[in-house]
Amino acid sequence: MSDRERAPEGRRILNVSGLLEAGRSVLESEIGPVWVEAEVFEYRGPHRGSGHRYFKLRDDNASMSAILWRGVADRALSSELRDGQKVLVRGSFDIYAARGTLSFVLDRVEDRGTGNLAQRFEEMKRKLQMEGLFDPERKLVIPERVHQVVLITGADSAAEADVLHVFQKQPNPVHVLVRHARVQGEGAVPDLLAALKEAASISPDLILLSRGGGSMEDLWAFNEEALVRAVAACEIPIISAVGHEVDFSLCDFAADERAITPTAAAQRIVAPWVEGIEQIQVLGKRLSRCAGQLTLEARSALRHQADLVGVMRRFLREKKARFERGMQSFTAQHPAQRLERQALRLRHAEQRLMAGVEGRLHMGRVRLQRQARGLASASPKTAIGLHKAGLSKASARLNAGNPEGLLNRGYALVKVEGQDGFLRDSKAAPEGTAIHIQLAKGDLRARVE
Amino acid sequence: MAAKKKPGFEQQLEKLEELVEGLENGDLALEEGVERYREGVDLLKSLNQTLADAEHKVEELTATLRAELKELEQNGDDLDLD
Amino acid sequence: MAAKKKPGFEQQLEKLEELVEGLENGDLALEEGVERYREGVDLLKSLNQTLADAEHKVEELTATLRAELKELEQNGDDLDLD
Amino acid sequence: MAAKKKPGFEQQLEKLEELVEGLENGDLALEEGVERYREGVDLLKSLNQTLADAEHKVEELTATLRAELKELEQNGDDLDLD
Amino acid sequence: MAAKKKPGFEQQLEKLEELVEGLENGDLALEEGVERYREGVDLLKSLNQTLADAEHKVEELTATLRAELKELEQNGDDLDLD
Amino acid sequence: MAAKKKPGFEQQLEKLEELVEGLENGDLALEEGVERYREGVDLLKSLNQTLADAEHKVEELTATLRAELKELEQNGDDLDLD
Amino acid sequence: MAAKKKPGFEQQLEKLEELVEGLENGDLALEEGVERYREGVDLLKSLNQTLADAEHKVEELTATLRAELKELEQNGDDLDLD
């Protein structure tokens, strides 16, 4: 109610408790306490701890949980209820909130009575029960899924049709072997006994003993002691489905399980198969869902690793960068500068070499020039000049002292031809003497007369 | 008659369920996963086959018994026919 | 039929991861790096092939599974008629 | 196939770096300097070749890899249709 | 191939420089000076040749280096296209 | 090749200097003076020849060197293009 | 080669001067005077010849010297042009 305030859009939102509470109040107001005719089912007697009775009420098509509180049971029951008992009960629905289960809670219980045969039935039942023929410990376990079943039933009976209808309508692998037998009247019991024997002889998973509904008389063969004992003794699990839900036979008690109708019995056998199919379908769907997942993860994992190209590119780029660094530092070391330096040093040495040799030559030349000039100025020409002057003076003086100068004054020098010395005495030159007379200019040759 | 030594329907079903759960947990290696998947599909096929096998199979027990008897006669002459 | 000693997809994938890590660390010699790359490419090829095979197989199996499920559903439809 | 005893890229690169250091110190005789330069150029050539070869190989492998990756992505898309 | 026992460039240059100093000091007889000059010229010739050879070699190497660098740049472009 | 026992330029020059001094002192007899003068002129001639020879040789060497340098420089111009 | 026994110029000149002085004193007999005079003339002639010869030689040598000097100076100029 306060929920409404929290739902502005007008949606009515309940919690689970609220919903169940609402349900309970509707059940109470709309149905209230009612009388119900039903059959007791799954009755287990008083609960060990509480003494309450928990069981089910059902008819042909439906069942529901029923609760008989201990206090009510003490008041309403003369004896304990039993499975299959037809009862008229009064009660009302209640919801067990903790589990959300719906139960019919009884406050009155009335037995729907049985007839004459019922008396015999009850006696026989009590007798066999005392023998322990119906003890739960004796009962064989019905296999979870039945593969092979022998259906013992009347020929062309409604029960057979019902059972086969169920088997045919629903998918199942159950192999049904039909053994027709007389199910009422004379010879029914022996035939049924024979049928049981035959059925057991091929060791099926299950025997289904079935007969349609009818009066207690009609069904009486199934209360015959021989058959009941044979059913109890049979080593093959037996499901008994005799009559309608209200009809009980002693075979039902002796069998390992009772079905309320042949149809129910067949469904009881087929149901696990149907469940199995559903299970397979579910598993199949789950399986197919896994299929996509399987490779999807692998693919995404693989894609995750697929950046190999990028990684390799980075790898190569790093290598290349290192190479380029090395290359740049190498190219910066180009030997051109070194060569230029050396060339410069060489040119310098060259210039100095040439200047050196020229200087050396120049020095030699200068010295040589100086000496040449010295030589030129020290030439003996002057000395020769001086000597010349001296010689000409001596020559003049010689000329001055020339005795032949007298001749110029008229003296003559006379010599006897062929004799040295001048003629100073005429006696030295007799007549005819050839004489040589030297004058200032020219000579004369003469003879003394 | 159908499956005697063949693993039972329940066993196969359980196996299939385990298999599916294993696959759903997803910790399997790819190849193992595929192998399991194959096993699963095979199991499902087998289960389906099992279901399909005996469908609508209704026989007369008497006929079956007769056939068996005949077989027995042929196999074991020593055996008492009674 | 396929791989007996052949390393599985996950193992190969791990190897590929290791390989990629090795390349990312960059301590490898150039030639070694290239060799690793080649191995990586081979691995990736192999992985891709494995994956494709697996997918192919899964697809086939899935087709089979679908068919089986369809068959089951038809049976299930029969059920629903009841 | 190529280099068996040929020194690896990194070794050559280190040699080149040593060479550069030697050149930087500058105490070398002219002929030695030229000889070193020649060695450097030879090394550079060789390194360049090695690098180019590696790049070529990587390119080839990358082409293969790309094809694989393409396939990887395309196949994945097919899968998404499921 | 080149110089085995042939004195190196620097040694020759030093010898030349010593020679030049001797010439510059001027204590040498004229004929000796000329002789030294001849030696100097021979040395210069040899040195110049050596230097020229070195320059030539360096040129060739530089050309080779340039070609490599060019190629490298082109390759580098190719790589970036990836 | 040149002068083995032939007195060197400087020695001859010294002799010439002595000679010139002797001439300058002037105490010589006429014939001796003339003789000395002759010797001086001869020496001068010889010295001049020696000097000219030396210069010629140097010129030749220089020319050779220049030619060589020119040739090298032409080659060297290629280097400057760098 | 020159003057071994031949009296030198200066000695002859002295003899001439003695001879002239003797003549100048006039104490000599005419024949002696003439004789002396004749000797004087001969001496004078000889001396003149000697002097002329020397002068000629010196002139020749001086010409040679001049040529050498000229050459020396011209070469020197060439040198300075350098």
Side-chain angles (χ1 to χ4, degrees):
Chain A
M1 316 309 136
S2 61
D3 300 323
R4 229 173 249 169
E5 293 159 18
R6 287 186 224 149
E9 313 92 352
R11 271 191 278 177
R12 187 183 176 202
I13 297 170
L14 296 175
N15 58 18
V16 176
S17 304
L19 175 62
L20 292 178
E21 186 53 43
R24 194 205 303 270
S25 80
V26 167
L27 286 170
E28 224 167 69
S29 64
E30 295 296 321
I31 302 172
V34 288
W35 284 97
V36 177
E37 191 178 34
E39 181 191 337
V40 175
F41 179 54
E42 288 181 8
Y43 190 78
R44 293 188 198 88
H47 187 269
R48 260 186 290 160
S50 62
H52 307 314
R53 275 77 163 171
Y54 298 98
F55 56 101
K56 284 185 176 163
L57 291 173
R58 69 176 181 188
D59 60 15
D60 277 5
N61 300 314
S63 75
M64 65 182 178
S65 294
I67 301 171
L68 188 56
W69 303 119
R70 183 184 179 175
V72 180
D74 288 348
R75 183 162 30 82
L77 295 185
S78 53
S79 63
E80 280 302 315
L81 297 174
R82 42 172 214 284
D83 267 4
Q85 184 177 0
K86 293 211 159 182
V87 287
L88 186 63
V89 296
R90 201 189 75 161
S92 52
F93 276 116
D94 193 12
I95 291 174
Y96 179 43
R99 289 200 188 148
T101 50
L102 184 69
S103 299
F104 194 67
V105 181
L106 310 183
D107 56 26
R108 300 265 185 84
V109 181
E110 286 179 24
D111 191 8
R112 307 295 270 172
T114 51
N116 298 329
L117 281 173
Q119 203 64 40
R120 269 177 67 191
F121 175 87
E122 286 299 332
E123 281 165 12
M124 182 61 74
K125 183 188 167 194
R126 209 165 296 132
K127 177 186 162 197
L128 294 176
Q129 198 163 28
M130 297 283 275
E131 281 182 31
L133 217 64
F134 306 155
D135 285 357
E137 304 88 63
R138 288 187 50 115
K139 297 202 183 298
L140 297 172
V141 177
I142 311 294
E144 169 81 16
R145 282 188 183 82
V146 173
H147 290 274
Q148 195 178 35
V149 62
V150 175
L151 170 64
I152 300 173
T153 191
D156 302 325
S157 66
E160 183 186 12
D162 286 352
V163 168
L164 290 181
H165 178 72
V166 170
F167 278 119
Q168 276 159 9
K169 259 308 179 195
Q170 301 187 349
N172 64 82
V174 182
H175 184 197
V176 184
L177 292 158
V178 182
R179 170 58 163 90
H180 291 130
R182 296 175 66 180
V183 290
Q184 83 184 77
E186 246 175 79
V189 174
D191 198 16
L192 284 168
L193 284 170
L196 263 184
K197 201 177 165 189
E198 278 173 34
S201 75
I202 64 156
S203 307
D205 297 327
L206 182 71
I207 296 168
L208 175 56
L209 191 59
S210 180
R211 191 209 181 285
S215 65
M216 199 168 226
E217 289 82 0
D218 293 341
L219 304 179
W220 193 252
F222 294 91
N223 293 326
E224 288 293 349
E225 191 174 349
L227 186 61
V228 175
R229 286 189 185 281
V231 166
C234 185
E235 284 171 0
I236 305 296
I238 296 177
I239 292 179
S240 161
V242 178
H244 291 304
E245 59 267 47
V246 289
D247 308 321
F248 272 88
S249 71
L250 293 180
C251 277
D252 289 343
F253 294 113
D256 301 299
E257 199 176 303
R258 183 222 175 203
I260 50 171
T261 59
T263 298
Q267 244 147 12
R268 158 74 180 80
I269 293 164
V270 169
W273 287 113
V274 174
E275 258 173 51
I277 288 166
E278 281 168 353
Q279 226 172 322
I280 292 166
Q281 277 179 326
V282 169
L283 286 173
K285 274 171 195 156
R286 280 168 67 188
L287 189 62
S288 74
R289 237 174 279 135
C290 288
Q293 207 59 34
L294 261 179
T295 51
L296 214 67
E297 272 172 29
R299 181 166 294 280
S300 83
L302 187 56
R303 276 183 184 168
H304 190 66
Q305 286 308 319
D307 191 28
L308 197 55
V309 177
V311 169
M312 193 58 201
R313 202 183 303 153
R314 282 192 292 279
F315 178 80
L316 267 185
R317 209 172 278 155
E318 268 173 43
K319 294 292 176 196
K320 199 163 185 173
R322 196 179 156 195
F323 170 63
E324 273 167 5
R325 276 198 303 276
M327 198 177 60
Q328 275 164 4
S329 50
F330 176 72
T331 49
Q333 293 302 321
H334 194 281
Q337 269 191 333
R338 179 190 311 279
L339 288 176
E340 219 166 279
R341 245 189 348 258
Q342 302 287 33
L344 219 67
R345 201 177 148 191
L346 187 57
R347 291 286 94 77
H348 188 62
E350 181 189 314
Q351 279 167 2
R352 278 174 66 198
L353 180 69
M354 287 171 87
V357 80
E358 274 158 19
R360 188 69 196 74
L361 285 174
H362 186 68
M363 202 171 69
R365 179 171 299 281
V366 168
R367 269 180 82 187
L368 188 56
Q369 276 177 345
R370 197 189 306 134
Q371 293 313 317
R373 284 190 198 108
L375 186 63
S377 66
S379 150
K381 207 175 176 178
T382 336
I384 286 169
L386 281 174
H387 282 306
K388 233 178 178 174
L391 200 58
S392 81
K393 204 187 281 172
S395 168
R397 281 170 64 198
L398 184 63
N399 277 335
N402 187 353
E404 289 173 7
L406 294 171
L407 299 179
N408 287 337
R409 277 185 262 159
Y411 293 99
L413 289 172
V414 181
K415 273 182 178 177
V416 174
E417 204 81 58
Q419 281 183 3
D420 284 342
F422 296 112
L423 202 63
R424 291 166 197 265
D425 191 346
S426 54
K427 290 174 205 169
E431 236 185 55
T433 305
I435 56 171
H436 180 268
I437 306 158
Q438 189 180 350
L439 302 173
K441 279 185 183 169
D443 297 348
L444 290 175
R445 291 177 189 272
R447 278 193 194 266
V448 178
E449 287 175 17
Chain B
M1 195 168 288
K4 260 193 171 171
K5 285 143 204 165
K6 197 177 158 193
F9 190 84
E10 275 75 21
Q11 279 165 293
Q12 284 192 308
L13 205 56
E14 267 171 42
K15 204 173 169 191
L16 179 61
E17 197 160 5
E18 277 174 33
L19 230 144
V20 169
E21 269 173 40
L23 276 170
E24 280 170 346
N25 286 344
D27 296 334
L28 299 170
L30 179 69
E31 291 86 353
E32 210 180 341
V34 172
E35 183 55 28
R36 293 275 173 94
Y37 186 60
R38 201 179 57 74
E39 281 177 38
V41 171
D42 284 352
L43 268 174
L44 199 126
K45 248 167 101 177
S46 169
L47 283 163
N48 222 2
Q49 195 55 49
T50 303
L51 283 175
D53 266 352
E55 226 172 321
H56 311 315
K57 209 171 186 184
V58 179
E59 277 177 51
E60 292 264 342
L61 175 62
T62 322
T64 308
L65 279 172
R66 282 202 191 115
E68 277 191 24
L69 267 174
K70 207 171 180 179
E71 206 180 320
L72 273 173
E73 270 169 37
Q74 285 172 341
N75 288 351
D77 293 338
D78 308 339
L79 250 140
D80 207 0
L81 292 177
D82 263 48
Chain C
M1 191 171 294
K4 257 192 169 173
K5 285 138 197 170
K6 193 181 160 194
F9 185 84
E10 278 75 14
Q11 278 165 294
Q12 283 195 307
L13 198 61
E14 266 172 43
K15 207 174 165 191
L16 180 60
E17 275 172 44
E18 279 173 31
L19 229 142
V20 168
E21 269 174 45
L23 275 174
E24 277 172 346
N25 286 346
D27 296 333
L28 296 173
L30 178 69
E31 292 85 355
E32 212 180 336
V34 172
E35 183 54 29
R36 292 275 172 94
Y37 186 57
R38 202 179 56 71
E39 280 177 38
V41 170
D42 284 350
L43 266 174
L44 208 128
K45 254 167 94 176
S46 170
L47 282 163
N48 213 7
Q49 193 54 50
T50 302
L51 189 61
D53 288 350
E55 277 171 354
H56 184 67
K57 206 174 248 174
V58 166
E59 266 169 45
E60 280 182 350
L61 289 167
T62 301
T64 308
L65 181 58
R66 291 236 168 97
E68 293 291 326
L69 282 176
K70 205 168 176 182
E71 206 179 317
L72 263 175
E73 258 167 46
Q74 283 173 342
N75 291 348
D77 287 347
D78 295 348
L79 249 168
D80 292 341
L81 290 175
D82 256 47
Chain D
M1 195 165 292
K4 255 191 171 176
K5 286 138 199 169
K6 191 186 160 193
F9 183 79
E10 279 73 15
Q11 279 166 295
Q12 284 194 308
L13 205 55
E14 269 169 41
K15 210 174 164 191
L16 180 65
E17 281 161 7
E18 279 174 31
L19 222 143
V20 168
E21 268 175 45
L23 281 171
E24 277 171 349
N25 287 344
D27 296 334
L28 300 170
L30 179 72
E31 291 86 353
E32 212 179 339
V34 172
E35 182 56 27
R36 292 276 172 91
Y37 187 61
R38 198 180 59 74
E39 279 176 38
V41 169
D42 283 351
L43 269 173
L44 269 175
K45 256 167 90 176
S46 172
L47 281 163
N48 206 8
Q49 193 54 50
T50 302
L51 196 60
D53 287 351
E55 277 173 1
H56 183 67
K57 208 174 247 174
V58 165
E59 265 169 46
E60 281 183 349
L61 289 167
T62 300
T64 310
L65 183 56
R66 288 246 163 88
E68 290 294 323
L69 287 177
K70 205 169 174 183
E71 207 181 314
L72 185 64
E73 270 159 32
Q74 282 176 344
N75 286 353
D77 292 343
D78 293 350
L79 202 75
D80 291 340
L81 294 174
D82 262 49
Chain E
M1 193 170 290
K4 255 190 171 175
K5 286 139 196 171
K6 193 181 160 193
F9 184 83
E10 278 76 12
Q11 279 166 292
Q12 282 194 307
L13 195 56
E14 270 169 39
K15 205 176 166 187
L16 178 63
E17 280 165 351
E18 278 173 32
L19 221 144
V20 168
E21 270 173 44
L23 265 176
E24 282 173 342
N25 285 345
D27 296 336
L28 297 171
L30 180 70
E31 291 83 355
E32 211 178 337
V34 172
E35 183 56 27
R36 291 277 171 95
Y37 183 62
R38 202 178 54 74
E39 280 177 39
V41 167
D42 284 350
L43 268 173
L44 259 170
K45 269 160 84 173
S46 169
L47 282 163
N48 267 326
Q49 193 56 51
T50 301
L51 194 61
D53 287 350
E55 278 171 358
H56 184 65
K57 206 174 245 172
V58 165
E59 261 169 57
E60 280 183 349
L61 290 167
T62 301
T64 307
L65 183 58
R66 289 245 167 89
E68 289 293 323
L69 287 178
K70 206 167 175 183
E71 202 183 319
L72 188 64
E73 268 163 37
Q74 285 173 342
N75 287 353
D77 291 344
D78 294 350
L79 197 76
D80 291 340
L81 292 174
D82 262 48
Chain F
M1 196 170 289
K4 256 190 174 177
K5 285 138 197 173
K6 193 182 162 192
F9 183 82
E10 276 74 17
Q11 279 166 297
Q12 283 192 306
L13 199 58
E14 270 170 36
K15 208 175 167 188
L16 180 60
E17 277 168 351
E18 278 173 30
L19 228 145
V20 169
E21 266 175 45
L23 274 173
E24 277 172 347
N25 284 346
D27 293 336
L28 299 170
L30 179 67
E31 290 83 357
E32 209 178 341
V34 172
E35 183 55 28
R36 292 276 173 92
Y37 187 57
R38 200 181 51 76
E39 279 177 39
V41 170
D42 283 351
L43 266 175
L44 187 79
K45 253 167 94 177
S46 170
L47 280 163
N48 210 6
Q49 193 55 51
T50 302
L51 189 62
D53 286 351
E55 277 172 354
H56 184 65
K57 206 174 246 171
V58 165
E59 263 168 49
E60 274 182 353
L61 288 167
T62 304
T64 311
L65 182 58
R66 290 247 164 88
E68 195 107 356
L69 285 179
K70 205 169 176 182
E71 201 180 321
L72 282 174
E73 259 165 45
Q74 283 174 340
N75 293 347
D77 286 347
D78 296 347
L79 196 75
D80 291 340
L81 293 174
D82 263 46
Chain G
M1 195 174 285
K4 251 191 174 178
K5 284 138 198 173
K6 192 185 165 188
F9 183 83
E10 277 78 10
Q11 280 167 301
Q12 282 192 305
L13 196 59
E14 267 172 38
K15 207 177 170 184
L16 179 63
E17 274 168 4
E18 276 172 33
L19 224 149
V20 169
E21 267 175 43
L23 272 177
E24 280 173 344
N25 283 344
D27 293 338
L28 298 170
L30 182 67
E31 287 86 353
E32 206 178 345
V34 169
E35 187 58 31
R36 294 274 177 93
Y37 180 68
R38 281 216 182 120
E39 274 178 47
V41 167
D42 285 348
L43 265 174
L44 195 69
K45 256 167 92 179
S46 170
L47 279 165
N48 260 332
Q49 191 56 50
T50 302
L51 201 57
D53 287 351
E55 204 174 10
H56 183 67
K57 207 173 243 171
V58 166
E59 262 165 44
E60 275 182 354
L61 288 167
T62 300
T64 307
L65 179 56
R66 289 240 169 88
E68 290 295 323
L69 249 174
K70 207 172 177 181
E71 202 183 323
L72 193 59
E73 270 159 27
Q74 279 176 344
N75 287 354
D77 290 346
D78 293 351
L79 250 164
D80 291 343
L81 292 173
D82 260 43

